[in-house]
């Protein structure tokens, strides 16, 4: 496997990074801005992509940057829960059942931030436990605990909404 080019890195990861932010901030406009900031930082600090042996390593690095961009954003005390904004640009597979997608987004929003980030990376980013641990700077067991807690909370919240 070879390292991706800058153009390949952007093309292959843009939609995933955008989706990550949509689930984190629940505002498509803010998600687009944060995605742009992520790729700006990536381009600024990663001029030599040869250090990434595979596209997956590059992807994990991008999500690490995205996680840091989100932390910077949330530290500025910006209103990150614009629940009135309709996210019309969600992927097609999520548009097939808008009611369920809306319930899941609302349930995710109720999770503590660390659990929400872990669940989004695992289920939507399709990262492995070890990769999430690297992105978040925690142990694999901490990621497993966060993921279990997120699943348990989501299960309860979805059952309350009539989904089982």
């Amino acid at each position: 496997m070879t390292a991706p080019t800058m153009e390949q890195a952007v093309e292959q990861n843009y939609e995933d990074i955008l989706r990550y932010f949509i689930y984190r901030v629940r505002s498509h406009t803010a998600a687009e801005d944060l995605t742009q900031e992520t790729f700006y930082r990536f381009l600024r600090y990663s001029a030599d992509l040869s250090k990434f042996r595979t596209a997956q390593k590059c992807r994990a690095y991008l999500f690490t940057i995205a996680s840091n961009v989100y932390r910077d954003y949330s530290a500025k005390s910006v209103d990150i829960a614009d629940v009135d904004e309709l996210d019309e640009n969600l992927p097609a597979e999520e548009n097939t059942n808008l009611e369920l997608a809306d319930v899941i987004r609302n349930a995710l929003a109720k999770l503590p931030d660390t659990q929400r980030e872990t669940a989004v990376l695992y289920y939507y980013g399709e990262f492995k436990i070890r990769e999430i641990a690297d992105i978040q700077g925690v142990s694999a067991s901490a990621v497993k605990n966060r993921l279990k807690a997120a699943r348990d909370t989501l299960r309860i919240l979805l059952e309350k909404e009539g989904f089982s």
Side-chain angles (χ1 to χ4, degrees):
M1 296 188 161
T2 61
T5 66
M6 196 63 75
E7 184 176 316
Q8 288 171 328
V10 173
E11 285 178 11
Q12 293 171 355
N13 296 290
Y14 187 87
E15 290 299 319
D16 291 336
I17 298 291
L18 178 62
R19 186 178 308 120
Y20 166 80
F21 283 123
I22 288 171
Y23 280 100
R24 298 302 306 273
V25 300
R26 302 191 60 188
S27 164
H28 197 274
T29 304
E32 287 175 337
D33 291 344
L34 295 172
T35 300
Q36 292 299 320
E37 176 64 20
T38 298
F39 281 99
Y40 169 75
R41 289 184 189 184
F42 176 72
L43 293 171
R44 184 172 176 202
Y45 299 113
S46 303
D48 180 21
L49 293 183
S50 64
K51 65 182 174 183
F52 303 114
R53 294 186 312 268
T54 65
Q56 187 61 23
K57 295 272 186 198
C58 182
R59 184 172 186 266
Y61 182 64
L62 270 165
F63 273 88
T64 301
I65 294 171
S67 180
N68 290 333
V69 166
Y70 175 77
R71 281 190 199 104
D72 292 348
Y73 173 78
S74 62
K76 293 178 183 175
S77 300
V78 176
D79 181 13
I80 61 172
D82 186 4
V83 296
D84 295 328
E85 182 175 335
L86 178 62
D87 294 321
E88 296 173 356
N89 295 321
L90 288 173
E93 69 267 14
E94 293 169 13
N95 283 328
T96 58
N97 190 339
L98 290 175
E99 180 184 354
L100 179 58
D102 190 46
V103 169
I104 290 171
R105 278 194 305 273
N106 288 333
L108 280 169
K110 293 177 183 175
L111 292 176
D113 196 48
T114 56
Q115 290 178 18
R116 180 174 46 248
E117 178 181 31
T118 303
V120 167
L121 289 171
Y122 187 79
Y123 290 109
Y124 296 101
E126 299 178 359
F127 283 98
K128 296 178 178 131
I129 300 290
R130 183 75 243 154
E131 294 169 324
I132 296 170
D134 290 341
I135 290 169
Q136 294 181 333
V138 298
S139 68
S141 61
V143 171
K144 289 177 186 176
N145 289 336
R146 290 174 180 179
L147 196 54
K148 182 183 179 334
R151 285 181 190 138
D152 292 345
T153 303
L154 286 172
R155 185 177 303 112
I156 291 167
L157 293 170
L158 291 173
E159 286 174 357
K160 284 182 181 178
E161 294 293 327
F163 296 95
S164 54

